[in-house]
Amino acid sequence: MLIYLHILTGTVALISGALSFAVKKGSNSHKKFGLTFVLSMIVMAMSGAFLAFLATEKLNMVAGLVTFYLVVTAYLTVHPPKNKAMIVHSIFMALGFTTGVYAIYTGLTALNNGLSSIDGNPVQAIIVFGSISLLAATLDIRVIAKGRLKHKWQLVRHVWRIGFAMLIATASFFLGQSQFIPEAMRNIYTLAGPVVLVLCLTAYWVIRVSIWGLKTRMSAQTQTAVAQSSR
């Protein structure tokens, strides 16, 4: 039953994530698709991590936890909790550090023992996931210390975390579950293409937001909401 929920929410996440990338940023459509993406990704990531835990698949468990952490903290960046915000941020920062340390320790231990793969994938994969988690958790320290970020850096934080979560989901399906794609359509373009596209779009929006911001693309209502959240 849980595996079907994982597959269903993963499918919804990929579709809503693609639509969120495609529509005008700050529009009502972007908000609706974005919220659908966040909710479906949370269920998909946690169900995947739990299934991986039951099957003792360390890499998939780490991937699920990192995805969950990135999605939730990306959402909280633009929709900060009204009460006990620093406690909430601290809890998720602890999750990021714990997951990152566990992943890197597991990877280095495997390499030290002469192993070349974990769960059928190169050991380096779990180290990469751990490094991303540690990087994000380290950046959380800035949020907790400052209590707020400037409008532009809130958006940068939101975009890169959502983008990486989308990248993980896309790679997990098109590269990790390619057997579900019809063999006639299975080639380098249909498998690697979506992953490269998400990576490029994430890089584009991070660069665009960090340099120019999104003022010309956002509605007045959205700008006001984000400005209020940074106070």
Side-chain angles (χ1 to χ4, degrees), residues 10 13-14 37 41 44 67 164-174:
L14 288 175
F37 173 76
M41 282 289 284
M44 184 274 291
T67 303
F164 263 95
M166 182 66 175
L167 182 65
I168 293 171
T170 305
S172 296
F173 176 74
F174 287 96

Side-chain angles (χ1 to χ4, degrees), residues 77-78 142-143 146 148-161 206-207 209-213 226 230:
T77 300
V78 292
R142 181 186 178 192
V143 175
K146 286 181 171 292
R148 64 188 178 120
L149 293 175
K150 291 184 179 179
H151 168 65
K152 181 169 70 173
W153 299 115
Q154 279 187 316
L155 294 174
V156 170
R157 174 183 164 90
H158 173 74
V159 169
W160 87 259
R161 292 182 186 230
V206 168
I207 293 172
V209 170
S210 62
I211 296 177
W212 297 292
V226 175
S230 64

